[in-house]
Amino acid sequence: MRGFELVRPATLEEAIRLLDTDDPTVRPLSGGTAIMQMMKTGIFKPSRLVSLSSLAGDHSAITLDDKGFLSIGAMTTLAAVEHSQVVLQHAPLLPKVMKRLANVRVRNAATVGGALAHGDPHMDLPPVLAALDAEVIAQGPGGQRRIPVADLYAGYFETVLQRGEIIASVSVPPRNGCNSVYRKTTTRTADDWPALGVATSLGRGEGVLQHVRLFASAATERMTRLGSAEAHLRGNRPEAKLLEEAGRIAAQEVEVIDDAHGSAAYKVALVAVQVRRALHEALQQGSEQ
Amino acid sequence: MVCNDMNDKAAVVRRIRFRLNGRQREAQVASHENLVDLLVRLDLFGARESCGQGLCGCCTVLVDDIAVSGCLTLAQLVDGCEVHTVEGLAEKGKLDFVQQAFIDEGAFQCGFCTPGFVMMTHELLKRIPEPSEPEIREYLSGNLCRCAAYPEIIRAVQTAARNRPDPAGVAGEHA
Amino acid sequence: MNIRPELTNHQIGRSVPRLEGPEKVSGRASYVHNLKLPGMLYAKIFRSTVAHGRILSIDVSAARMMEGVEHVFTGEDVKTIVPNPYFGPAFHDQPVLAIDKVHFVGEPVAVVLARDPYVAAEAAQLITAEYEELPAVFDEVEAMHSKAVVHEELKPAGTFPDLKHLAGRKDTNIALDYHLRRGDPVAGFAQAVHVFEHEFRTQQVMHVPLEPMVTLAEPHHNTIIIHTASQSPSFVRIEIARLLGWPENRVQVKVPHLGGGFGAKLYIKLEALAACAALLAGAPVKVMLPMEEQFYTITKHASTFRIKSGVDHEGRLLARHCEVYWNGGAFADIGPRVTQKSGFTAPGPYDIDNVSIDSYALYTNRPPAGALRGFGIPQLVWAYESHTDIIAHELGIDPIEFRRRNILRDDRPQATGTPMTDAAVDAVLEKIAECMQWESGSRRKSDDPTKRFGRGMAIGFKASISPTTSVAVVNVAADGSVVLQLSTVDMGQGSDTAMAQIVAEILEVAAEDVRIVHPDTDVTPYDMATLGSRSTFHMGHAVRLAAEDAKRKLEELAHAMGFTDHAVWQPRDLFRRKYGMQAGNVIGVGTFIPEYRSPDPENGQSDKVTPFWMIGGTGVELEVDVETGHFRILRMINVADLGTPLNPRIVETQLSGASMMQLGFTMFEEMRLDAGQVTNASLADYKIPGIQDVPDAIENEIVAAHQSNGPFGAKGVGETATFGVSPAIANALFDAVGVRLTQLPLTPEAVFMAMRAKEGAASGV
């Protein structure tokens, strides 16, 4: 891992310019916790790392606009999200998820933008933000565009971000009375990466489920929207039987992978249980309010 | 991290300036060196690279008052920063309240992971002055002790919280 | 004598805080990890990528050309200074660097030396090797009859007399076959009303000391200094001297603090490579493994245990047959001793008249296995206590009641014929029953219908490794201050503190005032090694004898200096009177080797196979999530007979620490192999217990006991709490959800799949 260039552009524009190359050995570095691991294990040998740390000043603000949209700068550390009062008030699931996301030191260094751009299906943040209908604002040589977090992933460690494109911020819409839950299942130690992550967001009206978002991660090659299960729930009364069925449908539609966390057969069974439990938990939250 | 500008492009080796345990230091640093490499060159051995992946916490140091894994931090990026290591805690050889609590509770065996736990405990007590057991477990879940002195470590954190000299003074300790 | 009349407190039995505490909490304790020397070169090992193969060629030219690389060495270079460069405690089977063939994925093949460790690492990636692949064997049972043979010829080291008969044996992977026969097993089984037979397996795991293995060798004119993170400095000195053909006094081995050992840093590991590389390079060489490479260096035996028992109509065990296969990997290390020394306890702490044991150490093409906290005992207890639980349930007898009927009591002889003297098996069993309120059947019930409560327990025992020698020196300076020189390695177990307490008790000083000299073979005398919970007993006695020797010499000096029997004096008065100034020393020496009689090679019988027994048990209460197989340990109770504790607090930490380590081996730790390649050699994928994995409650109980031949009634404790953990958890899982797991680790998936299989069987699917 010797001999690479470490550059620290002062502006986003300069960073984009430095990253606008076909060379796969040129990559951005934000918190660095994931990239450093890849470098140390020899998976990634950079020729140039573009450190975004100097952008932290301009791109780590957490703000709320008058329509209730929460904006989180991409260079915001996960710890800053964890401890933000604004986030606690407007997206209370995020600080809750942080408590079991990696560890304190990683959260102190890792950034929201980095955690989304990395593309590792074992990350907790993507399904959570997807369930919250969040969008990333990506800035690239051709300008700015908005990408729903739900559509950010093209495959295993692969995003839809284009050459030179950097996530500038994340926008989380108002909750509109929805309740959101993330359930993380580990199969080895408690502090392990998830074997399965399930995120859901539910909104009720006139006794039926009107707003339904359901995502699975970790057990899958990339974060996956559980569309059939969502459709089964939408417009129906949230009774125990329905939730059970949704879990079963989710287990049928999701493509899980065998890995060190467990066999595919086991993880399919986990999906059915954890989807049902996540839905229950979200509804329970709703009825407590 | 609030760091100085780093403008020149040929950044493979670079001279950095930073404060280490309260003293200004300068060092010639290659781009691939991590913070533990740098500290070892400066004869500080309390932060130790063990798992090399930020998972065990043996290399915990504070950069601008925030706990990070030294093994995952590129040393060039601490240019302009304030770095604190376990060696800076004891003043004139007198152990600080966290270190003393670890001794009082027998909260270690081989001692290799101990500086990391001590540094994390400092950060924990800054955030939560009187942590509950679940909060202690949550906060220290990223530090591993193969001797598994965990029950004693939990007690040491509780003892440290009780024996903390002056909360205001401690918060300003590294300022 | 009354050296310190004001000091009335006893030093033994006092919870003296660890002497090295201030150094450890301040990050200033010295580890080899920290050591740097002028001109030092860093080594990076190039390792085999095939499990078994003949080396056709090794190309180091590109690495050698790389800027910053000082040297690249292969086995051929090593041979120029060590003609027969094979080492090992039981067999001389391990080459310093591979010669002619490789035996597992990860075997050291070449080494790069550079001043910059990053340069060395990069250069090692430029080395290539070609192999002619040979058939490989990975499973210990298959290795018994496999056509793939790991070593062409067995080469016993000659260190242990009971391995000599294996010299020159060919075409076999059996490094040792150990057999014990007691009574008439055939007749015993014939009389039995019920016969039970089961097979249990354990997985390969690793010690994971957080200070990865490290050695720094420093060559001088005609000597070599080896700074090493080792549990056995005396053995390293002897083995390096043997390899080099030098007398022992030209090899100096120094050991500062160890960042964990657990058996990983025993005998000889990196020292031979570091020494050879340093001598070839003519410069200090530091071999420092990254975490990943520890997995290729030493591990814990995977095992298969077939156990068969015959029981009479009253639930008394009449006969037991034990067949144990130990997966030793590519090099025997100390595996043959595990096979024998642990093997003879395979029937468990039960009073059985008719016993047969066949225990086999097998070579396979996996990373080598050796000693790991318990020396094979946890693998055995896992099997015999799961088996015991099954028998009790099948017979409809309460598991504790079944044990009561069968445990070894009152000095009854164990399978070897050695009596179980000072072995509180019954007290440990009863203490577990009491703590768990077993009889009153206190069972928690969850309101959550997806949760099931379960409880289980297990007991086990271990012999000490004998016969082994310890020597200690107590040096009293002219001001009366005391230094203790010993080669016991304090790797966290607290031996420095405990040994200081023994000296302090005898010389009537405070333990805190005794200074310990860490192992340095130029200064500290011989000790067999820090292993197998032997130090408290063996070194404890040597230290006691050394302190008593010093005390006697002080008293003689007092007499000679004209002090009467009743006079009150301080040691400094004696020196001053004798030498006219503050000068001189009194040196006390203690040597200890316990009584031992070798077992009969035919039937394994001996009336003194160990100087003491360690007894441990664990009780577990847990809650299973029936929908996912996850389980949470609500309460874990470790009970131990460790004689009289020298330092109760350190002892308690040892108990809970050992039980947590075994909890990791029970619940999730597992080296995964694909064609011999370890696929999870990092803490990202080999997970060890963290603080969130600690059970809701851990309780440690020490039963009232006294080891009559131990120093101050004490005996070893470092491994005792590992014994019962795995079967206690498996037994509790059975109690909770009615499934029996026979293979470690007990993952949520394993529990879930077993429950599903049981449901399927019940519903006829």
Side-chain angles (χ1 to χ4, degrees), chain A residues 133-178:
Chain A
D133 282 343
E135 295 182 325
V136 300
I137 287 91
Q139 188 133 8
Q144 215 181 57
R145 63 175 176 141
R146 298 173 80 90
I147 309 166
V149 174
D151 302 333
L152 189 58
Y153 300 100
Y156 190 64
F157 280 89
E158 207 185 324
T159 67
V160 299
L161 291 171
Q162 306 277 304
R163 194 174 93 175
E165 227 174 14
I166 294 179
I167 297 175
S169 66
V170 178
S171 170
V172 186
R175 294 164 67 202
N176 287 333
C178 291

Coordinates of all heavy atoms in Angstrom, one line a residue, chain A residues 133-178:
Chain A
D133 N -37.4 6.8 2.9 CA -37.5 7.5 1.6 C -36.5 8.6 1.4 O -36.7 9.6 0.7 CB -38.9 8.1 1.4 CG -40.0 7.1 1.1 OD1 -39.6 6.0 0.6 OD2 -41.2 7.4 1.3
A134 N -35.3 8.4 1.9 CA -34.3 9.4 1.8 C -33.7 9.4 0.4 O -33.8 8.4 -0.3 CB -33.1 9.2 2.8
E135 N -33.1 10.5 0.0 CA -32.5 10.6 -1.3 C -31.1 11.2 -1.1 O -30.8 11.9 -0.1 CB -33.2 11.6 -2.2 CG -34.6 11.2 -2.6 CD -35.2 12.2 -3.6 OE1 -35.0 13.4 -3.4 OE2 -36.0 11.7 -4.4
V136 N -30.1 10.8 -1.9 CA -28.8 11.4 -1.9 C -28.8 12.5 -3.0 O -29.4 12.3 -4.0 CB -27.7 10.4 -2.1 CG1 -27.7 9.3 -1.0 CG2 -27.7 9.8 -3.5
I137 N -28.0 13.5 -2.6 CA -27.8 14.6 -3.6 C -26.4 14.3 -4.1 O -25.4 14.5 -3.3 CB -28.0 16.0 -3.1 CG1 -29.5 16.2 -2.9 CG2 -27.4 17.0 -4.0 CD1 -30.1 15.9 -1.6
A138 N -26.2 13.9 -5.3 CA -24.9 13.6 -5.9 C -24.4 14.7 -6.7 O -25.2 15.2 -7.6 CB -25.0 12.2 -6.6
Q139 N -23.2 15.0 -6.6 CA -22.6 16.1 -7.4 C -21.5 15.5 -8.3 O -20.7 14.8 -7.7 CB -22.1 17.2 -6.5 CG -21.6 18.4 -7.3 CD -22.2 19.7 -6.6 OE1 -22.7 19.6 -5.5 NE2 -22.0 20.8 -7.3
G140 N -21.6 15.8 -9.5 CA -20.5 15.3 -10.4 C -20.1 16.3 -11.5 O -20.6 17.4 -11.4
P141 N -19.3 15.9 -12.4 CA -18.8 16.8 -13.4 C -20.0 17.4 -14.2 O -19.9 18.5 -14.6 CB -17.9 15.9 -14.3 CG -17.6 14.7 -13.5 CD -18.7 14.5 -12.5
G142 N -21.0 16.6 -14.4 CA -22.2 17.1 -15.1 C -23.2 17.8 -14.3 O -24.3 18.1 -14.8
G143 N -22.9 18.1 -13.1 CA -23.9 18.8 -12.2 C -24.4 17.9 -11.1 O -23.8 16.9 -10.7
Q144 N -25.6 18.3 -10.6 CA -26.2 17.7 -9.5 C -27.4 16.8 -9.9 O -28.1 17.2 -10.8 CB -26.7 18.8 -8.5 CG -26.5 18.5 -7.1 CD -27.0 19.6 -6.2 OE1 -28.2 20.0 -6.3 NE2 -26.2 20.1 -5.4
R145 N -27.6 15.7 -9.1 CA -28.8 15.0 -9.3 C -29.2 14.3 -8.0 O -28.4 14.1 -7.1 CB -28.7 13.9 -10.4 CG -27.7 12.8 -10.1 CD -27.7 11.8 -11.2 NE -26.6 10.8 -11.0 CZ -26.8 9.5 -11.2 NH1 -27.9 9.0 -11.6 NH2 -25.7 8.7 -11.0
R146 N -30.5 14.0 -7.9 CA -31.0 13.3 -6.7 C -31.3 11.8 -7.0 O -31.8 11.5 -8.1 CB -32.3 14.0 -6.3 CG -32.2 15.5 -5.9 CD -33.5 16.1 -5.7 NE -34.0 15.8 -4.3 CZ -33.8 16.5 -3.3 NH1 -33.1 17.6 -3.4 NH2 -34.3 16.2 -2.1
I147 N -30.8 11.0 -6.1 CA -31.0 9.6 -6.3 C -31.6 9.0 -5.0 O -31.1 9.2 -3.9 CB -29.7 8.8 -6.5 CG1 -28.8 9.5 -7.6 CG2 -29.9 7.3 -6.8 CD1 -27.4 9.0 -7.7
P148 N -32.8 8.4 -5.2 CA -33.3 7.7 -4.0 C -32.3 6.7 -3.4 O -31.7 6.0 -4.2 CB -34.6 7.0 -4.5 CG -34.9 7.7 -5.7 CD -33.6 8.2 -6.3
V149 N -32.2 6.6 -2.1 CA -31.3 5.7 -1.5 C -31.7 4.2 -2.0 O -30.9 3.4 -2.2 CB -31.2 5.8 0.0 CG1 -30.4 4.7 0.6 CG2 -30.6 7.2 0.4
A150 N -33.0 4.1 -2.1 CA -33.5 2.8 -2.5 C -33.0 2.3 -3.9 O -32.9 1.1 -4.2 CB -35.1 2.8 -2.6
D151 N -32.6 3.3 -4.7 CA -32.1 2.9 -6.1 C -30.5 3.1 -6.2 O -30.0 3.1 -7.3 CB -32.7 3.8 -7.1 CG -34.2 3.7 -7.1 OD1 -34.7 2.6 -6.7 OD2 -34.9 4.7 -7.4
L152 N -29.9 3.3 -5.1 CA -28.5 3.6 -5.1 C -27.5 2.4 -5.5 O -26.4 2.6 -6.0 CB -28.0 4.2 -3.7 CG -26.7 4.8 -3.6 CD1 -26.5 6.0 -4.6 CD2 -26.4 5.4 -2.2
Y153 N -28.0 1.2 -5.2 CA -27.1 0.1 -5.4 C -27.3 -0.7 -6.6 O -28.5 -1.1 -6.9 CB -27.2 -0.8 -4.1 CG -26.8 0.1 -2.9 CD1 -27.7 0.6 -2.1 CD2 -25.4 0.4 -2.8 CE1 -27.4 1.5 -1.1 CE2 -25.1 1.3 -1.7 CZ -26.0 1.8 -0.9 OH -25.6 2.7 0.1
A154 N -26.2 -1.0 -7.3 CA -26.3 -1.8 -8.6 C -25.9 -3.2 -8.3 O -26.3 -4.1 -9.1 CB -25.4 -1.1 -9.6
G155 N -25.2 -3.4 -7.3 CA -24.7 -4.8 -7.0 C -23.9 -4.8 -5.8 O -23.8 -3.9 -5.0
Y156 N -23.2 -6.0 -5.6 CA -22.3 -6.2 -4.5 C -21.1 -5.1 -4.5 O -20.4 -5.1 -5.5 CB -21.7 -7.6 -4.6 CG -21.0 -8.1 -3.4 CD1 -21.6 -8.3 -2.2 CD2 -19.6 -8.4 -3.5 CE1 -20.9 -8.7 -1.1 CE2 -18.9 -8.9 -2.4 CZ -19.6 -9.1 -1.2 OH -18.9 -9.6 -0.1
F157 N -21.0 -4.3 -3.6 CA -20.0 -3.2 -3.5 C -20.1 -2.3 -4.8 O -19.1 -1.9 -5.3 CB -18.6 -3.8 -3.4 CG -18.3 -4.2 -2.0 CD1 -18.5 -5.5 -1.5 CD2 -17.7 -3.3 -1.1 CE1 -18.2 -5.8 -0.2 CE2 -17.4 -3.6 0.2 CZ -17.6 -4.9 0.7
E158 N -21.3 -2.1 -5.3 CA -21.5 -1.4 -6.5 C -22.6 -0.4 -6.4 O -23.7 -0.8 -6.0 CB -21.7 -2.4 -7.6 CG -21.3 -1.9 -9.0 CD -21.7 -2.9 -10.1 OE1 -21.7 -4.1 -9.8 OE2 -22.1 -2.4 -11.1
T159 N -22.4 0.9 -6.7 CA -23.4 1.9 -6.6 C -23.7 2.4 -8.0 O -23.0 2.1 -9.0 CB -23.1 3.1 -5.8 OG1 -22.0 3.8 -6.4 CG2 -22.6 2.7 -4.4
V160 N -24.7 3.2 -8.2 CA -25.1 3.8 -9.5 C -24.3 5.1 -9.7 O -24.6 5.8 -10.7 CB -26.6 4.0 -9.7 CG1 -27.3 2.6 -9.6 CG2 -27.2 4.9 -8.7
L161 N -23.5 5.5 -8.7 CA -22.8 6.8 -8.9 C -21.9 6.7 -10.1 O -21.2 5.7 -10.4 CB -22.0 7.0 -7.6 CG -22.8 7.4 -6.3 CD1 -21.9 7.4 -5.1 CD2 -23.5 8.7 -6.5
Q162 N -21.8 7.8 -10.8 CA -21.0 7.9 -12.0 C -19.6 8.3 -11.7 O -19.3 8.7 -10.6 CB -21.6 8.9 -13.0 CG -23.1 8.7 -13.3 CD -23.2 7.7 -14.4 OE1 -22.7 7.8 -15.5 NE2 -24.0 6.6 -14.1
R163 N -18.8 8.2 -12.7 CA -17.4 8.6 -12.6 C -17.3 10.1 -12.1 O -18.0 10.9 -12.6 CB -16.7 8.5 -14.0 CG -15.2 8.7 -13.9 CD -14.7 8.4 -15.3 NE -14.5 9.7 -16.0 CZ -14.0 9.8 -17.2 NH1 -13.6 8.7 -17.9 NH2 -13.8 11.0 -17.8
G164 N -16.5 10.3 -11.1 CA -16.4 11.6 -10.5 C -17.5 12.1 -9.7 O -17.5 13.3 -9.2
E165 N -18.5 11.3 -9.5 CA -19.7 11.8 -8.8 C -19.5 11.5 -7.3 O -19.1 10.4 -6.9 CB -20.9 11.0 -9.2 CG -22.1 11.9 -9.5 CD -23.3 11.1 -10.1 OE1 -23.3 9.9 -10.1 OE2 -24.2 11.8 -10.6
I166 N -19.8 12.5 -6.5 CA -19.7 12.4 -5.0 C -21.0 12.7 -4.4 O -21.7 13.5 -4.8 CB -18.6 13.4 -4.5 CG1 -17.2 13.1 -5.1 CG2 -18.6 13.4 -3.0 CD1 -16.2 14.1 -4.6
I167 N -21.3 11.9 -3.3 CA -22.5 12.3 -2.5 C -22.2 13.6 -1.7 O -21.2 13.6 -1.0 CB -22.9 11.1 -1.6 CG1 -23.2 9.9 -2.4 CG2 -24.1 11.5 -0.7 CD1 -23.5 8.6 -1.6
A168 N -23.1 14.6 -2.0 CA -22.9 15.8 -1.3 C -23.7 15.9 0.0 O -23.3 16.5 1.0 CB -23.2 17.0 -2.2
S169 N -24.9 15.4 -0.1 CA -25.7 15.4 1.1 C -26.8 14.3 1.0 O -27.0 13.7 -0.1 CB -26.4 16.8 1.3 OG -27.3 17.0 0.3
V170 N -27.6 14.1 2.1 CA -28.7 13.2 2.1 C -29.9 14.0 2.6 O -29.8 14.8 3.5 CB -28.4 12.1 3.1 CG1 -29.6 11.1 3.2 CG2 -27.2 11.3 2.7
S171 N -31.0 13.8 1.9 CA -32.2 14.5 2.3 C -33.2 13.5 2.8 O -33.6 12.5 2.1 CB -32.7 15.2 1.0 OG -34.0 15.7 1.3
V172 N -33.7 13.7 4.0 CA -34.7 12.8 4.6 C -36.0 13.5 4.7 O -36.1 14.6 5.4 CB -34.2 12.3 6.0 CG1 -35.2 11.3 6.5 CG2 -32.8 11.8 5.9
P173 N -37.1 13.0 4.0 CA -38.4 13.7 4.1 C -39.0 13.6 5.5 O -38.6 12.8 6.3 CB -39.2 13.0 3.0 CG -38.6 11.6 3.0 CD -37.2 11.8 3.3
P174 N -40.0 14.5 5.7 CA -40.7 14.4 7.0 C -41.4 13.1 7.2 O -41.7 12.4 6.2 CB -41.7 15.6 6.9 CG -41.8 16.0 5.5 CD -40.5 15.5 4.9
R175 N -41.6 12.7 8.4 CA -42.1 11.4 8.7 C -43.6 11.2 8.4 O -44.0 10.1 8.2 CB -41.9 11.1 10.2 CG -40.5 11.0 10.6 CD -40.3 11.1 12.2 NE -41.0 9.9 12.8 CZ -41.3 10.0 14.1 NH1 -41.2 11.1 14.8 NH2 -41.9 8.9 14.7
N176 N -44.3 12.3 8.4 CA -45.8 12.2 8.1 C -46.5 11.1 8.9 O -47.3 10.4 8.4 CB -46.0 12.0 6.6 CG -45.7 13.3 5.9 OD1 -45.8 14.4 6.4 ND2 -45.3 13.2 4.6
G177 N -46.1 11.0 10.2 CA -46.8 10.0 11.0 C -46.4 8.6 10.8 O -47.1 7.7 11.4
C178 N -45.4 8.4 10.0 CA -45.0 7.0 9.8 C -44.1 6.5 11.0 O -43.5 7.3 11.6 CB -44.2 6.8 8.5 SG -45.2 7.1 7.1

